[in-house]
């Protein structure tokens, strides 16, 4: 029925330019396919049939552009390949953009800021029409982004806000404060902190937060503390190290090695008996180092702390299945890539990208219009349903079976 309705619109608007039709259909498909959560933020991706249909239309448009020598190029700058999520993000976005008829220059900067600047400069020289950038340290990109602005190149920040610049047009990300609250609420529920508070019971906790040059890390931290601060204040949660401020808990460049060293130090200085109940970690990559420190301390099985995480990396999911890591946050990068692609397409075809937030993301120069996707809590009870049955991983990818 939906496809028939779209065909009627196409024939009815035959006099309009094909590009306008594509844009209008794209907006309607997104509106029809997106389901709203209680927070009012869509977490649904494209319907497969709609995506195929839109791709066919865009392919026809791309064929016309090819004849005129007008194929548009998109530069995609990713920060690193050390985390599998960035590899997946880049591949998903490249595939979708190429399906729509665009040329894509996808580059990874290896956590090297100077290299990322050089890569973006190269994309600008090569005449890209749009830049999608997930920065290593966005404050160092101000000058190169100004070059893009002078060239009239649209810039979309991808999952990490570009700070201190007016060259950024839109931002595609997950709801990072909500993710922090999801992590914290999991701790509250799993440890029954409300009941513990009434009974005068307490648990020890330590925090491992994201990189200080990633604006998302601050939002996530704020979400965590909005939920957990009352329990720290009334003594239900006890942080013996006193490391509760963001500046004290953030870890530069999301270093798992640094997380391991910090955890070893915490055990040595504050938990010599290994009596650390909760590790509130914001990244799966931290948890591998944390588990190494726990093993060194002789903790295993039921003696391990409750350990949180984020990104649903394959190793993390394996650890969850083996009762090592307790939970992770699953961010379906296929959805985020799809939403970013619709932004690119709208900008390049003269349209208005879909957004659902205009207030949260102030980059010190302007509040950047954003599209926020939702994330899902994953633990041993639901990882099979969410990740395997949901098609994000196969059982073979996770367990080699």
């Amino acid at each position: 029925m939906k496809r028939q309705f779209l065909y009627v619109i196409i024939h009815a608007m035959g006099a309009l330019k094909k590009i306008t039709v594509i844009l209008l259909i794209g907006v309607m498909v997104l509106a029809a396919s997106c389901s709203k959560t209680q927070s009012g933020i869509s977490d649904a991706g494209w319907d497969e049939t709609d995506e195929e249909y839109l791709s066919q239309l865009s392919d026809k448009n791309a064929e016309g552009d090819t004849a005129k020598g007008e194929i548009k190029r998109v530069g995609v700058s990713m920060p690193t390949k050390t985390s599998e999520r960035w590899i997946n993000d880049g591949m998903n976005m490249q595939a979708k953009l190429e399906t729509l008829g665009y040329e894509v220059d996808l580059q990874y900067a290896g956590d090297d800021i100077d290299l990322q600047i050089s890569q973006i400069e190269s994309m600008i020289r090569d005449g890209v029409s749009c830049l999608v950038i997930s920065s290593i340290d966005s404050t160092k990109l101000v000058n190169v982004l100004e070059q893009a602005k002078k060239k009239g190149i649209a810039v979309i920040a991808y999952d990490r806000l570009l700070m201190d610049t007016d060259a950024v047009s839109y931002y595609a990300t997950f709801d990072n404060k909500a993710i922090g609250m999801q992590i914290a609420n999991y701790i509250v529920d799993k440890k029954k902190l409300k009941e513990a508070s009434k009974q005068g019971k307490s648990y020890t906790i330590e925090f491992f937060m994201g990189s200080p040059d990633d604006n998302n890390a601050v939002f996530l931290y704020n979400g965590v503390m909005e939920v957990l601060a009352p329990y720290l204040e009334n003594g239900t949660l006890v942080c013996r190290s006193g490391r509760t401020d963001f500046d004290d808990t953030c870890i530069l460049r999301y270093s798992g090695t640094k997380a391991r060293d910090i955890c070893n130090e915490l055990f040595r200085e504050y938990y010599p008996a290994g009596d650390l109940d909760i590790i509130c970690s914001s990244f799966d990559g931290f948890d591998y180092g944390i588990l190494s420190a726990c093993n060194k301390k002789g903790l295993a099985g039921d003696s391990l702390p409750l350990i949180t995480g984020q990104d649903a990396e394959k190793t993390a999911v394996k650890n969850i299945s083996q009762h090592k890591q307790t939970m992770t946050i699953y961010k379906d990068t296929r959805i985020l890539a799809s939403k970013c692609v619709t932004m690119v397409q709208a900008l390049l075809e003269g349209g208005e990208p879909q957004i659902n937030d205009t207030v949260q993301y102030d980059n010190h120069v302007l509040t950047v219009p954003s599209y926020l996707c939702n994330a899902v809590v994953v633990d041993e009870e639901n990882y099979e349903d969410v990740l395997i049955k949901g098609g994000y991983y196969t059982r073979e990818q996770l367990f080699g079976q």
Side-chain angles (χ1 to χ4, degrees), residues 95-282:
K96 290 179 182 295
L97 287 168
E98 288 179 345
T99 297
L100 293 173
Y102 303 116
E103 288 186 1
V104 180
D105 182 2
L106 169 63
Q107 298 195 45
Y108 291 83
D111 279 323
D112 184 328
I113 296 170
D114 290 335
L115 178 58
Q116 185 166 47
I117 292 171
S118 176
Q119 289 173 341
I120 295 171
E121 287 175 337
S122 176
M123 292 173 184
I124 293 171
R125 287 194 301 269
D126 289 343
V128 297
S129 299
C130 182
L131 284 166
V132 177
I133 299 174
S134 183
S135 63
I136 299 167
D137 181 351
S138 68
T139 62
K140 302 294 181 16
L141 300 182
V142 174
N143 291 336
V144 71
L145 292 176
E146 184 62 24
Q147 295 176 34
K149 180 183 176 183
K150 289 178 179 178
K151 293 281 188 178
I153 300 171
V155 176
I156 298 173
Y158 185 82
D159 207 35
R160 292 181 176 178
L161 186 60
L162 295 169
M163 303 297 292
D164 303 319
T165 179
D166 63 356
V168 57
S169 302
Y170 293 94
Y171 182 32
T173 189
F174 288 89
D175 190 338
N176 297 291
K177 182 178 180 182
I179 288 172
M181 296 178 73
Q182 285 176 298
I183 290 172
N185 280 319
Y186 187 91
I187 292 171
V188 170
D189 294 340
K190 199 73 172 178
K191 288 298 186 180
K192 297 182 173 58
L193 294 189
K194 292 180 181 178
E195 292 84 350
S197 182
K198 295 175 183 177
Q199 297 167 3
K201 188 176 181 179
S202 65
Y203 295 97
T204 53
I205 187 170
E206 295 292 339
F207 298 88
F208 293 74
M209 295 290 108
S211 186
D213 52 15
D214 178 4
N215 191 61
N216 288 346
V218 178
F219 277 85
L220 188 147
Y221 168 84
N222 289 339
V224 166
M225 286 304 168
E226 185 169 314
V227 174
L228 296 186
Y231 297 102
L232 288 164
E233 291 168 2
N234 69 17
T236 305
L237 292 177
V238 177
C239 180
R240 291 181 188 167
S241 71
R243 297 170 63 255
T244 58
D245 292 339
F246 178 76
D247 289 344
D248 294 330
T249 57
C250 62
I251 298 176
L252 184 64
R253 304 281 190 275
Y254 292 92
S255 169
T257 301
K258 183 65 174 177
R260 180 200 63 200
D261 294 344
I262 291 172
C263 198
N264 280 326
E265 180 184 351
L266 288 171
F267 280 127
R268 185 169 56 252
E269 295 294 329
Y270 302 101
Y271 304 94
D275 52 341
L276 176 55
D277 299 314
I278 303 164
I279 293 179
C280 183
S281 164
S282 66

Side-chain angles (χ1 to χ4, degrees), residues 53 55 66 83 91 228 274 370:
Y53 184 49
S55 297
T66 301
S83 174
M91 291 175 58
L228 296 186
S370 306

Side-chain angles (χ1 to χ4, degrees), residues 25 52 86 130 136 150 241 281 322 376 383-384 392 395:
I25 291 172
E52 179 184 359
W86 295 117
C130 182
I136 299 167
K150 289 178 179 178
S241 71
S281 164
Q322 296 168 0
V376 178
Y383 76 86
E384 289 201 27
Y392 195 71
R395 186 171 296 278

